[in-house]
């Protein structure tokens, strides 16, 4: 058995890390893959970071947390939802279980008879990608919502400046 | 510094494994990434295995060889060579060195000022993807050209049958 | 002469059926083709059903209504409007007349010198795709807005559940 | 149960018609769909006719032969074989049986647990698309290899001239 | 040194012309290229005119203004921002300076170490594409916001009618 | 009236220049556009140079020859021949006449009722792209087959080295 957790990780925050930690603790013998969704996207407000930058963030955060045995695989979108499961099956090594809170992902994998589970979301008011992107752009507090390695990385690539420029209405 | 080795790995054979082993030995402190080229392709004579199947083969072979610290990243082709370097940069975490024997890959990364090195090829008469695919389809000897874990995997998915059907002219 | 009626048919409802019946009655000697627009789309709020599911609905409804002599052809979108007419011409058998209430479709086919007619819309308050999707998701009344064969089909594939999950904001 | 026969039909010839007639006779109660493969292609040597032209040929030939109850559905190619079955499932109404002599199509649908059957090929020396295209371009005999309605259609669109221009090496 | 000014030019208005005139005056020895962004788009509210129509408008306006030595190059969008600079580099002759008021364009070209300058915007209340499209659709005053040659062209292709039909909510 | 000459110009050689000169001489009052076909392609044996490099070559050669009033427009391929004319119409300003020696281009534009003319080819044994690419790769004579400005450009970008690496079989 192998499990897959798919997310866009824009950016990878403490809520994501808590999910990975909980899944590894609950099923230590079951390998866990992380799939980076919308991997083709970057430099937009919804998807500011490239797949490679997200790989780097996740890799650094997992190492820091002692969870470095999870392969990370970028998954560029395909436009056709009816082929999504077949596409993911062709891009990832075999898996049996899908962890997701996205209703469409759940619907599509359940139709294909996968075990689908919803990992509990931790404190969405603080740990949600959209809110953290807002904080990055607006100058709010964000470093305490991220694994330290991610916060350092985002400073190094000057993420606040990038988010300010990508914010809808910027000019 | 991080190095990248890009190949199609159709299939991942002992020649590939020898290269990975040599690179890890030569630069033990430099992380090495494996990029799976033409990741979108499968079920063709040139690219019989999906990216996920190739991931599985490589992962099993590296574990078997005690080299399991190399991330494996699928890279679907883009059609436009002039954007290839920018594309790879956006899909992979930062890297400085590219290992390749492909003249186009060398040309494009050198133009972008990367360090490019050609890993020595081991016994091409035996360890070359096209010849191994021929042997799989024609019933020649192939298990001794592959890491044991890959040979087992190919038997499990009945690769000889698949290759026979995909061979040009099959009907 | 052949006529073409293009729609997304998400789902195919009594308003659509009334249009087909009226066109067949008005020009019984002129074959009528039904083109399924946005055929590549599915499992979204705007386009919940695959082209194949829509084919099945339309086919069943036309048989039920004794109108089964209309070929049904899926038309995946192309992104470039300036090529839309040439694209439809290449996908459909020859036609001379286009029935549409979509202003862009009208504009493009008129520029290419086709006869374009707007079939009268029947009771849009009840017979409009978006409202019927709302009713499917929200538990409102919907079976009486659909041909019986379509209503049965939607129950069989559990369309209300699908629509609830696809509704914007679902989680 | 519904059956599907997928071909490129470049052009639709007497061999195709014999297959359709045999399948309808063998299973009169099982509806039969014709899928036009490579529907996006046209004006090439391998695929000289548009999907719409092929639809017209097939429709005319089936009417002429009293077999007009087979829906005809264009299927533009997708590049990714691993998603081919999921794609066809999304474009066609539900089906259970696939008729094909193409080894890849057989492989992919069998893996997805469909019943796959190979319709007997009739006199391939005469009834094969490539040979008929050669005859069209070279001025050989071709009208007697086609249903009369198709032969008439090809004369009407001046197919011999088109094939001459598309033949590799034409200038 | 060569400079590039990228815009969508929907339509090309007096604000654009003022920018071209100012840039030519400031650096008469530096050739200036005009890149037509979103060149693949047309017949939408945001992009009503084809790349060819925009080429025609710009060409006529520059001739009228005695500025006809600026090549005009259509640039169809690519979806992947991380490859945008590499893409533009492959489509245009060599250039060193980019003129833009778009924050994303600035961000991407600065990261690639280009000189980026923001040409001063002239009277945005009157000279802005979206407002001029509104005026075209709504019957407001628009001819005085355009170079005479563009105004004539838009009358010739009946742009007001096109814009009325493309306006969101038209039916 | 405007004329269009479409070619891939890999590279732009003295044969191309002779055609442009002849067309300008024959119809001095008719503007002539040069369309760069397969503009998306580069770094392949068939298409070694980017659209931008080809633009630069053509522009330099025309200036050198005193023929600099021909706009140059890149035309990325679309895969669907049946839409090719509509596509070119949407990318170029209005034109009435097409100059081509390609039989497919002739066929498609004639079907769309354009005037199509075949410019006389000059000494194909020497002035043909494929032969010149061979000479570039193999070290044969090539500078005397190109306008001087193009020969200089190709030396500056080290085209012989590029062609050697792209030649089929290079390793």
């Amino acid at each position: 058995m192998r499990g897959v957790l798919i997310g866009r990780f824009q950016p990878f925050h403490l809520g994501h890390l808590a999910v990975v930690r909980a899944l590894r603790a609950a099923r230590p013998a079951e390998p866990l893959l992380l799939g980076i969704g919308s991997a083709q996207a970057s430099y937009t407000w919804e998807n500011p970071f490239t797949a490679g930058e997200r790989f780097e963030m996740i890799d650094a955060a997992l190492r820091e947390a002692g969870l470095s045995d999870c392969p990370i695989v970028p998954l560029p979108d395909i436009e056709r939802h009816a082929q999504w499961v077949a596409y993911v099956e062709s891009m990832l090594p075999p898996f049996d279980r899908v962890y997701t809170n996205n209703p469409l992902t759940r619907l599509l994998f359940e139709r294909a008879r996968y075990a689908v589970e919803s990992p509990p979301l931790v404190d969405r008011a603080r740990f949600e990608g959209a809110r953290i992107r807002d904080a990055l752009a607006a100058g709010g507090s964000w470093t305490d919502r991220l694994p330290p390695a991610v916060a350092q990385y985002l400073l190094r690539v000057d993420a606040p400046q990038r988010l300010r420029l990508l914010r809808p209405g910027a000019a």
Side-chain angles (χ1 to χ4, degrees), chain A residues 143-160:
Chain A
T143 52
D144 58 336
R145 306 183 187 182
L146 301 174
V150 174
Q152 283 162 38
Y153 180 81
L154 292 186
L155 284 171
R156 201 160 75 239
V157 301
D158 198 358

Side-chain angles (χ1 to χ4, degrees), chain A residues 46-82:
Chain A
E46 290 294 322
N47 288 294
F49 305 110
T50 68
E53 291 176 316
R54 291 179 266 166
F55 191 111
E56 182 80 346
M57 283 182 226
I58 299 169
D59 185 56
L62 295 184
R63 283 178 194 282
E64 189 177 61
L67 293 162
S68 60
D69 59 345
C70 302
I72 306 162
V73 181
L75 290 168
D77 286 337
I78 57 169
E79 296 301 311
R80 299 173 173 237
H81 290 169

Side-chain angles (χ1 to χ4, degrees), chain A residues 4 10 16 30 35-37 41 48 50 55 68 82 85 99 104 108 111 116 120 132 135 144 150 152 158 171:
Chain A
V4 173
Q10 291 283 17
H16 296 130
E30 182 183 287
I36 301 179
T50 68
F55 191 111
S68 60
V85 170
Y99 301 102
L104 175 61
L108 295 172
R111 279 174 53 90
V116 179
I132 294 172
D144 58 336
V150 174
Q152 283 162 38
D158 198 358

Side-chain angles (χ1 to χ4, degrees), chain A residues 27-43:
Chain A
R27 298 198 172 93
E30 182 183 287
L32 180 68
L33 265 168
L34 273 63
I36 301 179
S38 299
Q40 85 293 343
S42 67
Y43 289 93

